[in-house]
Each structure stands twice: as C-alpha cells, then as structure tokens.
Amino acid sequence: MRRNGRTCGGRAALADTVFLIRGQGLDHVARATATALRQAGAHVVAVMDERAGPVDTAPFDRIGLDAETPGRLGLAGLPENWGWFCGDLCLYAARAELPGFAHYCLIESDVALAGDAARRLVAGLEAEPADLLAARLGPAAPAPKFSRGLAALSLDPGWGCLFPVTRVSAPALDAMFELRRRSLAAGVAAEINDEGILAGIAQDGRFVGRALEDSLPDLFDPAGFDTNPPHLAEAVARGDHGDRILHPVLPLDLVLARIARGEKAYGHHRLRRVLARALPEERALLEAALRAASPARPAAAGKPVPRGRAAHQRMTHLAGALQLAAPIRVLDIGANPLIEGDAPYLRLLRAGLAEVYGFEPQPEALAALEARKSDRETYFPHAVGDGGAGVLHVYRAQGLTSLYELDPDSVALCGFASGAGETGRIEVATRRLDDLDEVPEIDFLKIDVQGAETRIIAHGRRKLSRALAVMTEMRLFPIYRDEPRYGDLERELTGQGFEFLRFATLKHVALSRRFRKALHRSEKAQAVDGDAIFLRDLRRIESFDDDALVRLAIIADGILDNADLTLRVLELLEDRGRIGGRTIRGYLRLLPAERLRPDA
C-alpha cells in the first residue's frame, strides 16, 4: 500500500472491515465520505485508478491501479474499460494488499454520507453477518444486461445488484475472484460486470447474501440511494438529509463538464433533482450549459421542428396574438420538486406568463423550492386541509407522505413495501384554502397531496371560483386508510362546476411478485392513480368572456399540451373577432407533424 508516494505496511492482525473508496481521485464528495468514516472509527483506504497518473489521497492510504494491475493479479485479458466495468478489481487488489481483514467494503466516489450515516453504517455492518451486501441484491426481471453472461458459467443470469456500496467477506471475495477468472477462461468477461460477478456468487449456497435496503433500511432509502436522478453535491452539503446514504452525488463542476461532453444524455428531466435543489446562480449555470449543449437552430426545409422548441414557439405565438392581460395564476398544492420533476406549468413560468403560489409542508422539499424560486413564485409551509388538526405521516419514500396512514394490505398488493416504512409523524394544524388571504383567486390548480385532495378542494370554493382548469391526482385504488374515493373527488369538483376531460397520466402496478419486471408497463394490471384534468364545464363555453377564453387557450397549450382544446378556444375567439384567421393557421403550422393527420 502507498501513503503519499511511499510504501507502507499493511495490517498483520485480523481486523473486521476495511473501507475502500473507489475512484479516479478524491474530490470533496469522496474526501468527505472518507473523513466521516475515519471519524466513525473505520479503517479507510483509497483505491484509485492511476492510469492517467498518480493521485494524491493524503492523509488516506491508497492502493494505486495501473495498466499492469489486471495482469499482476492473474486477470490478464479483462476488457479495456475495466476501470468502470470491473469495480470488483478494486476488491481483489485490496485483498492482495490487505489480506488481514475479514470484510471488504467498497464505496464509490459519488456516494455521500449525510448526518450521522457514517457512524450508523460502521455499526450496522459490524452487526450484519451476511457474506455479501449490495443494494437490490437478488433476482431481477428482465435479466440485468451485464449479468446475462452468467448463463455461460451455469449460473442464473436473472440476478443482479447495484455496486455503489458493497461489502464482501474474505471467503466470498476469494470466490468472486475465481468466478472472474472463470469468466475470462469462458470468454465472457466482457459480458459480466462487477454487479454480475457479485450476483453470481450470491447464488453460491456457501454464502449468505442480503440487500442493503433490507439490512439497513433507514440508511439506504430508495428516495436518496438510486441511480437516477443525481443529487447536487453543493446542495447536499447545505441541506439537512437526516442520517442517509445518498447516491449519486455529483459536484456542480462535474455536472457541467458532463453536459458539455454530452455524457449520459443529461437534460432537464434527467437533472430534475439537481435543478430543484440548485441555488439560482447554480441553476443559471446549468441551464446555460444545457442550452449550449443543444443550441436551437433553424429547422431545415421539410424537417420537423424539435418538439421542445416547437412548444416554445407555439406559446410565444399565442401569447403575442392573444395579448394576455395578466399572468396565469397557478396554485400548486403539494409542490414537492424532489419527487415530481418539472411542473406542468414550467414553460409558462419561465416565459413570464404565470405566477405561482405553492404549498409544501415537508421542510426539505420547501427548502428546495425556496432555493431555486424566481420572483414570480411564492411558497408557503402550510398543510392545507379543512382547518382542523392533523398528523402528517412521513414515509421512507417522500412521494407517499400523507395526512392519511398507509393501508398495509394495499401496500403489500401494490409492491410499495420498500418505500412504505414510516419514518415520523408530525402534528400539523391545517389551513383552509379559502382562509388564506395571501392567495388570490386562481386560474389553474395543480394538486397532489396523497389522498387529501377532496378535503382541500371542498374548503377552497371561493379561491377556485374563477379557475378554468384543475389537474389533480385521482386515486383509483385506495392505498391509504379511510382516504376519500375517486367518486367523492369527482362529486366535489362537478359540484363546483368542473367536468372531467381526460387523464394526463395513469399509473398501473404489477400484481405478480417474481415476474413483475418481466412485463411491459402496458401489461401491468392494477390501476392505482393518475393525474386527472377537469375543466370548467365546456357545455357552457359560449358564456365564457373573452378574457376567460384567452386564459383557457394559454392553459390548454402551455400547461395541458392539448391541441384540440386549444383549437376549440381559438375558434370561438375568431368567431368573436378577437383574433384573425392567421392565429389559428400559425398555430397549426407549429404543431409537430406526428400530431396532425396527413390529409389535414
């Protein structure tokens, strides 16, 4: 092993676990992880890919991997991309350099330990007897891409795992090494990555394997430990995430570099968690980089205009032709950006055509909203309801947090168990929407509050009296105890003069246990919920004044992305002489070709 360029001795006496930080260098994320582990009493060593040159890991000892490492270990012939494809090589190198440990815990450099997670991880691993620990360790369907080569080694290719945090006992690690050698001899080394090798040994009856989310569920919360979307390192450093292990965590400069290089197809949707938690100046840098990576160019003759650009052009065309008198007033109840991704009204907001009033009682989500908001957004910490006291049930998966308690039978049927662990209960005093003077009458309501939609809408009749559209989560199968049914919600909305238009989204879950991942989404049986769109009763649309029609046209295209509704409203405005025929013809020209009939 090397320390600051000098060779130093390893540990001779048998110890329990050595923690290995894997990467091409120790950025501030990896250094913070290593430091936290050392402060928790762990023995920490950096395992660095040094083919591009030596890496300074001081004050941490390091094991350097170079182009000759596979050959020295007896694994000549590994694929050229072994640096990222064969993370198990780091474990074999550590086993050779540090033979005195009972367990080897490998942690990738984009893993962050929030709060007291380092101490809890060290203590939790000491109490865990399993030989193999990794996230999602076990059978998966369809077969993971880089486990399929296991079939050539007489192993089940349907097993997989995630490799960012892995702990392996010394005997199991020796078995992994032998399996890697067998893959070379069989000519399938390039078809089995590090996750496939570990999953292969998990099938060996001599060893006990366990998924980390089962062993340490509070630390490996699926909402924070996943493969996508990433976390922004700077936001993690300034936020309170409790005692959790987060992955992937990327510094801002690395995200910007990846966007510039065109890596990982980074776009607004892929980076939604990064953008949600970024400060305004960070968000500006990210959005500038995204624009630079895919600059808008005039479409060549006969070629379709890119969908995102066409949508922006349509919105600009309508805003200019319709002369919107005032911004669209949007009310967003349950505005959590950490689970929802981009809000449906985001294009209007960025174009300066909307002002947003939002409610989010979860502190972490509210902080993310406050950190990135514009001067056209106002957010409140209130739990909106019927004005009475309530209990906010906080679950491991943020998207399940609700004023209602989960029904364990529904959770079991729908396969929600991994995120359904209750992590806390918060007593809240709910506020009636109609009692909130700081919120004006609104044009568009977007609401997603896990069962409390009916209660909130029933106590917001005055604020909704001029609203033209509502997008609400509508539960079709109950997952909470005593939550109102979809019929209750529909009756309340129709009683206020709205009628159902369509579902914007509709979520189904699989009922099969072992083969749920084998089916296409369209084959999943149980409808659970969806985002339902209700409009002010269109049978009375002739009675809408011009201003209401203008606002509805902007909402129909800019939020609901529904050309048919937009055209119906434009027809009425043309009939009233409010717009000329060029407005509709220009709108039709800006619709993507796939949305028009060839003979239109």
Side-chain angles (χ1 to χ4, degrees):
M1 192 179 359
R2 297 182 181 277
R3 174 180 294 165
N4 300 329
R6 300 187 302 275
T7 301
C8 64
R11 298 178 59 158
L14 182 68
D16 184 30
T17 302
V18 60
F19 288 78
L20 310 167
I21 308 297
R22 167 197 177 191
Q24 294 179 313
L26 285 186
D27 62 16
H28 63 274
V29 175
R31 284 190 177 275
T33 295
T35 300
L37 287 168
R38 173 175 282 185
Q39 291 173 346
H43 185 84
V44 182
V45 175
V47 184
M48 297 285 105
D49 182 348
E50 296 188 323
R51 284 175 292 174
V55 176
D56 180 12
T57 65
F60 301 100
D61 292 350
R62 83 175 189 273
I63 297 172
L65 309 181
D66 57 31
E68 307 303 320
T69 297
R72 285 197 300 269
L73 292 173
L75 296 174
L78 283 181
E80 292 184 2
N81 60 352
W82 57 259
W84 68 268
F85 190 77
C86 303
D88 51 317
L89 188 70
C90 299
L91 290 166
Y92 311 142
R95 178 81 169 122
E97 291 273 358
L98 303 167
F101 287 91
H103 295 91
Y104 297 78
C105 182
L106 185 65
I107 300 178
E108 295 183 354
S109 58
D110 58 354
V111 171
L113 308 180
D116 198 29
R119 184 192 61 78
R120 295 182 62 184
L121 177 64
V122 172
L125 293 182
E126 287 179 356
E128 174 55 71
D131 297 284
L132 297 154
L133 290 168
R136 302 186 193 173
L137 178 59
K145 178 179 180 181
F146 290 113
S147 289
R148 293 173 185 170
L150 291 174
L153 304 176
S154 301
L155 293 167
D156 185 348
W159 284 52
C161 67
L162 295 181
F163 215 69
V165 178
T166 302
R167 194 199 70 171
V168 185
S169 70
L173 183 51
D174 293 340
M176 284 177 60
F177 177 78
E178 291 303 320
L179 183 61
R180 178 58 84 180
R181 293 189 64 178
R182 285 175 55 202
S183 74
L184 286 165
V188 293
E191 300 174 30
I192 310 176
N193 68 352
D194 38 29
E195 296 168 349
I197 291 292
L198 192 150
I201 292 303
Q203 302 174 43
D204 189 324
R206 295 175 296 168
F207 306 113
V208 175
R210 196 173 182 199
L212 280 167
E213 60 269 27
D214 295 333
S215 176
L216 301 170
D218 292 339
L219 293 181
F220 292 91
D221 180 347
F225 189 87
D226 206 338
T227 56
N228 186 52
H231 302 266
L232 182 65
E234 286 78 2
V236 169
R238 61 179 173 257
D240 181 8
H241 297 269
D243 302 336
R244 292 198 300 171
I245 297 181
L246 305 173
H247 174 268
V249 178
L250 306 178
L252 178 62
D253 57 356
L254 178 57
V255 177
L256 293 172
R258 286 185 173 180
I259 293 172
R261 293 195 297 263
E263 292 183 15
K264 297 183 180 290
Y266 276 171
H268 279 84
H269 180 71
R270 179 74 181 269
L271 295 175
R272 62 187 183 275
R273 185 153 55 194
V274 166
L275 291 165
R277 296 183 177 179
L279 294 176
E281 57 269 26
E282 294 167 342
R283 188 181 180 93
L285 288 171
L286 288 162
E287 292 187 334
L290 288 166
R291 288 194 297 270
S294 55
R297 300 182 179 89
K303 292 186 178 181
V305 177
R307 189 176 183 90
R309 183 181 168 211
H312 177 75
Q313 290 179 336
R314 290 199 312 273
M315 184 174 60
T316 302
H317 171 73
L318 290 177
L322 299 178
Q323 298 180 355
L324 183 67
I328 301 293
R329 289 175 173 175
V330 174
L331 179 61
D332 190 344
I333 304 179
N336 190 335
L338 308 182
I339 58 175
E340 291 299 318
D342 288 345
Y345 51 78
L346 186 61
R347 282 196 293 120
L348 291 189
L349 180 64
R350 287 177 175 167
L353 299 176
E355 56 187 30
V356 177
Y357 300 84
F359 291 87
E360 179 48 61
Q362 296 188 66
E364 184 181 24
L366 181 64
L369 289 166
E370 291 288 350
R372 67 96 193 264
K373 73 176 184 179
S374 67
D375 57 5
R376 297 182 302 279
E377 297 169 81
T378 304
Y379 295 104
F380 305 97
H382 312 313
V384 189
D386 58 9
V391 175
L392 190 68
H393 299 269
V394 182
Y395 294 99
R396 190 178 303 150
Q398 286 192 29
L400 294 175
T401 294
S402 173
L403 288 170
Y404 292 91
E405 186 176 5
L406 281 170
D407 183 327
D409 292 334
S410 295
V411 166
L413 178 69
C414 297
F416 294 158
S418 63
E422 191 170 14
T423 61
R425 296 188 178 192
I426 304 173
E427 293 186 2
V428 294
T430 68
R431 304 281 299 276
R432 295 173 72 253
L433 183 57
D434 276 343
D435 292 339
L436 296 169
D437 294 336
E438 56 267 50
V439 177
E441 293 179 348
I442 59 101
D443 300 309
F444 175 79
L445 168 65
K446 176 251 172 190
I447 180 169
D448 182 353
V449 285
Q450 298 301 307
E453 290 83 2
T454 304
R455 186 191 306 184
I456 292 171
I457 290 171
H459 291 86
R461 292 188 170 216
R462 182 168 57 84
K463 299 295 185 183
L464 297 176
S465 61
R466 64 169 262 170
L468 294 164
V470 173
M471 181 182 289
T472 175
E473 183 174 68
M474 176 176 278
R475 187 92 61 244
L476 303 175
F477 180 81
I479 63 174
Y480 298 95
R481 289 173 170 162
D482 303 321
E483 68 172 315
R485 305 301 296 265
Y486 58 87
D488 301 317
L489 178 57
E490 183 185 35
R491 277 190 295 275
E492 180 57 43
L493 283 166
T494 56
Q496 294 190 36
F498 297 96
E499 291 292 339
F500 176 76
L501 178 72
R502 63 186 299 169
F503 280 107
T505 62
L506 188 57
K507 177 182 178 181
H508 292 75
V509 297
L511 299 179
S512 169
R513 282 292 163 269
R514 294 190 298 276
F515 301 101
R516 64 172 56 220
K517 293 185 179 180
L519 299 174
H520 287 296
R521 290 185 178 182
S522 59
E523 296 297 320
K524 294 180 179 180
Q526 179 63 62
V528 177
D529 52 43
D531 291 324
I533 299 170
F534 285 78
L535 298 180
R536 187 65 63 186
D537 192 346
L538 294 180
R539 293 173 297 185
R540 311 287 183 265
I541 195 170
E542 297 281 357
S543 68
F544 291 13
D545 62 29
D546 287 0
D547 180 64
L549 290 178
V550 167
R551 288 183 287 121
L552 182 56
I554 297 293
I555 291 169
D557 184 82
I559 298 180
L560 305 181
D561 194 24
N562 189 284
D564 182 35
L565 175 61
T566 307
L567 287 167
R568 176 66 183 120
V569 179
L570 294 178
E571 288 169 352
L572 284 171
L573 289 169
E574 184 181 17
D575 291 344
R576 296 181 183 186
R578 180 70 164 72
I579 59 173
R582 290 183 179 181
T583 299
I584 296 180
R585 291 194 296 273
Y587 179 78
L588 284 168
R589 283 196 298 270
L590 292 170
L591 287 172
E594 65 268 20
R595 298 176 68 174
L596 296 169
R597 290 173 54 128
D599 56 350

